[in-house]
């Protein structure tokens, strides 16, 4: 796991969903991680936790996440 891979995941989320780009679903996050990094369930869990620790995403209910745009500013 590297910052470059996490940046690609965030880029893919924004690219695939420009209308509601700030509130994608957890399934969309899972698909982005699978495409960019890998298919192992542990890969998804570890990378989602890394995005939460970096504060690039925040939970927004049970089925959605919120993009905080900190990846663009820092």
């Amino acid at each position: 796991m590297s910052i470059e891979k996490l940046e690609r995941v965030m880029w893919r989320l924004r690219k695939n969903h420009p209308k509601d780009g700030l509130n994608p679903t957890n399934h969309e996050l899972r698909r982005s991680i699978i495409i960019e990094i890998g298919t192992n369930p542990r890969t998804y869990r570890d990378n989602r936790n890394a995005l939460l620790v970096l504060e690039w995403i925040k939970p927004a209910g049970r089925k959605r996440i919120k993009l905080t745009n900190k990846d663009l500013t820092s």
Side-chain angles (χ1 to χ4, degrees), residues 31-44:
R31 288 188 68 184
S32 296
I33 290 174
I34 286 173
I35 291 170
E36 292 295 333
I37 300 173
T39 59
N40 191 339
R42 186 172 178 177
T43 301
Y44 168 72

Side-chain angles (χ1 to χ4, degrees), residues 53-69:
V53 168
L54 291 170
E55 296 179 353
W56 290 3
I57 64 171
K58 289 186 178 179
R62 293 180 62 147
K63 296 187 178 189
R64 294 201 173 261
I65 58 169
K66 180 176 180 172
L67 305 181
T68 61
N69 293 330

Side-chain angles (χ1 to χ4, degrees), residues 3 5-6 14 21 23 28 30 32-34 36 41 48 51 54-57 62 70:
I3 295 294
K5 289 181 180 182
L6 295 175
R14 287 189 177 92
N23 290 320
E28 293 164 356
R30 181 180 294 273
S32 296
I33 290 174
I34 286 173
E36 292 295 333
R48 186 178 192 281
L51 291 170
L54 291 170
E55 296 179 353
W56 290 3
I57 64 171
R62 293 180 62 147
K70 285 190 177 183

Side-chain angles (χ1 to χ4, degrees), residues 12-30:
R12 185 167 294 278
L13 278 172
R14 287 189 177 92
K15 177 185 168 226
N16 290 341
H17 307 285
K19 286 184 182 179
D20 60 347
L22 293 179
N23 290 320
T25 63
N26 286 323
H27 182 69
E28 293 164 356
L29 175 64
R30 181 180 294 273

